[in-house]
Amino acid sequence: MKIIQLSDPHLMTPGGLLYGSDPLARLEACLADIGKNHGDAELVVISGDLTNDGERAAYAALRDGLAQFSPPCRLMLGNHDDRTLFLEMFPDAAAEQGFVQSVFDGTEGRLILLDTLDSGHIEGRLCPARLDWLDERLQEAGNRPVFLFMHHPPFRIHMPVLDEVRLADADAFHDVLSRHGNVRHIFAGHVHRQIAGSWRGIPVSTLRSTNHQTALDFSQSWSLGHEPPAYAVILIDAEGAIVHFHDFPVGAADRAL
């Protein structure tokens, strides 16, 4: 089973630049590369911060950009998004109980896509209703392997400025996971860095943005990184999950300043 993850496009009103690059042009380059090389993917997941300011024009640009994209795609929300406007602009988006969350049962396991947006806050949250929904979906999966996608990581990456805005109340989240024991990997966004490790025994990974990155800076401040944008190619079979990180090419005119 091949799954593609990309994250944090931070789209602006078309023509707008963010940290010296064009988020829309970079997303278009990413989608083109995926379409060319991974048209056989069972699912493409865009794991949140679809827009930078929750603007209608940015969501419209995303909708137009995906209109000619052939692999199946599901969209998730991050702290820069506007849930109400998103659901208005994408009325057919996978959603449950008013949240942009869903299940995808693939050939080698169940994917659960979580909505961690807590409107008005940078940190993420899973309210009791969302935790109950997750509990039910994990119960349904039984012994099938489950792979979670979420914008906010529940784990520390040991960069203070980002750890302050990870998923709040990770203990309650873990309590749900531990009742079932079938989660095999957690894929997150939000931090704009490629990171792999484990959290309380569960393998985890995060991903660079398609637009701009976080520098490797362990101080109390945030610094802009200059690594290239990337997406993940996730290969899942009966033996486990392997994640390849791919730096996709961008046009010379769009390179960050």
Side-chain angles (χ1 to χ4, degrees), residues 154-165:
F155 45 87
R156 291 189 304 145
I157 65 169
H158 301 278
M159 297 176 70
V161 70
L162 293 173
D163 289 342
E164 290 174 0
V165 293

Side-chain angles (χ1 to χ4, degrees), residues 141-245:
N143 292 326
R144 293 198 79 200
V146 176
F147 304 88
L148 297 183
F149 287 79
M150 54 202 303
H151 182 71
H152 294 84
F155 45 87
R156 291 189 304 145
I157 65 169
H158 301 278
M159 297 176 70
V161 70
L162 293 173
D163 289 342
E164 290 174 0
V165 293
R166 67 188 190 274
L167 184 76
D169 201 2
D171 289 340
F173 171 64
H174 185 260
D175 286 345
V176 174
L177 306 191
S178 63
R179 286 200 285 271
H180 304 281
N182 51 7
V183 173
R184 299 291 180 263
H185 198 109
I186 297 174
F187 300 91
H190 189 51
V191 297
H192 296 229
R193 287 202 58 77
Q194 283 179 188
I195 300 168
S198 64
W199 175 66
R200 303 184 186 185
I202 302 173
V204 300
S205 58
T206 66
L207 186 60
R208 289 190 205 139
S209 165
T210 59
N211 188 70
H212 60 282
Q213 316 313 331
T214 296
L216 186 63
D217 183 347
F218 295 106
S219 74
Q220 297 291 330
S221 61
W222 184 88
S223 300
L224 179 68
H226 297 286
E227 298 95 338
Y231 62 82
V233 181
I234 303 160
L235 301 171
I236 300 170
D237 60 20
E239 295 185 352
I242 296 297
V243 185
H244 293 266
F245 298 105

Side-chain angles (χ1 to χ4, degrees), residues 91-113:
D92 297 327
E96 294 278 351
Q97 301 175 355
F99 296 106
V100 183
Q101 55 193 17
S102 62
V103 167
F104 176 84
D105 285 313
T107 55
E108 296 288 346
R110 164 167 281 198
L111 276 58
I112 300 179
L113 285 61

